[in-house]
Amino acid sequence: MDRFQWSNGALVQGEIVVTQQSGIKIYDGSEKTQFEKGLLVLTSHHLLWRDAVRKSSAIALPLESILYAEEVSEGRGKSQKIVLHLLPAKPGKPAGPTMSSVHSYIRLSFKEAGETEFFRCLSEELQRKRWERPVPSAVKEKVSLYCIKYRN
């Protein structure tokens, strides 16, 4: 959990929403956390988790922090999980829900199904590494104009 940072949920320039799933619980390794029944949003740059009740409570995990992901089945009657194996936290990382963790992985528990499609999308984004690409100025202008047009 020490790789997560607090977030307002806003996208960075050039970032796009890929997919989302509700009913997600986050585990720090095998330990339960306070992050239950949230909305998990996969973008081209981050995993964003937003509390279903307190909409202002959000955390973000940069996709560049993920070493690899695996889909895990824990038996009948248990929710399906995606395990994210994480790189060590970078020095100077923005503040998050915890500053240190003994675990090098997190588990995402899918209470409302949808894990297979989410895992497929996540795997594709990890291969694409769109967070490494600079945003062309023409795209910046189009995004700005689109946001201005549809914000009003």
Side-chain angles (χ1 to χ4, degrees), residues 19-27 38 40 47 70-72 78-84 107-119 122:
T19 190
Q20 60 185 16
Q21 180 64 45
S22 59
I24 306 300
K25 181 175 184 168
I26 302 175
Y27 290 81
L40 187 64
L47 275 178
E70 60 182 329
E71 202 172 2
V72 177
K78 300 261 184 177
S79 60
Q80 299 296 96
K81 303 205 174 33
I82 293 176
V83 177
L84 303 178
R107 294 186 316 164
L108 305 172
S109 177
F110 287 73
K111 302 289 186 188
E112 299 175 10
E115 71 285 338
T116 301
E117 178 62 15
F118 198 95
F119 180 75
L122 175 61

Side-chain angles (χ1 to χ4, degrees), residues 7-117:
S7 173
N8 63 6
L11 302 181
V12 297
Q13 195 160 22
E15 184 175 19
I16 60 166
V17 172
V18 176
T19 190
Q20 60 185 16
Q21 180 64 45
S22 59
I24 306 300
K25 181 175 184 168
I26 302 175
Y27 290 81
D28 186 11
S30 59
E31 298 174 27
K32 291 182 179 181
T33 68
Q34 67 198 30
F35 302 100
E36 299 183 16
K37 299 179 184 173
L39 176 68
L40 187 64
V41 179
L42 172 63
T43 74
S44 54
H45 293 57
H46 297 92
L47 275 178
L48 299 170
W49 183 93
R50 185 179 303 274
D51 192 298
V53 177
R54 295 173 303 170
K55 303 285 187 208
S56 62
S57 179
I59 55 175
L61 176 71
L63 293 183
E64 67 185 354
S65 301
I66 301 172
L67 184 60
Y68 68 96
E70 60 182 329
E71 202 172 2
V72 177
S73 177
E74 296 196 351
R76 292 182 63 125
K78 300 261 184 177
S79 60
Q80 299 296 96
K81 303 205 174 33
I82 293 176
V83 177
L84 303 178
H85 298 270
L86 306 172
L87 295 167
K90 290 184 177 181
K93 177 193 82 62
T98 182
M99 293 310 291
S100 66
S101 173
V102 298
H103 302 288
S104 62
Y105 69 96
I106 61 167
R107 294 186 316 164
L108 305 172
S109 177
F110 287 73
K111 302 289 186 188
E112 299 175 10
E115 71 285 338
T116 301
E117 178 62 15

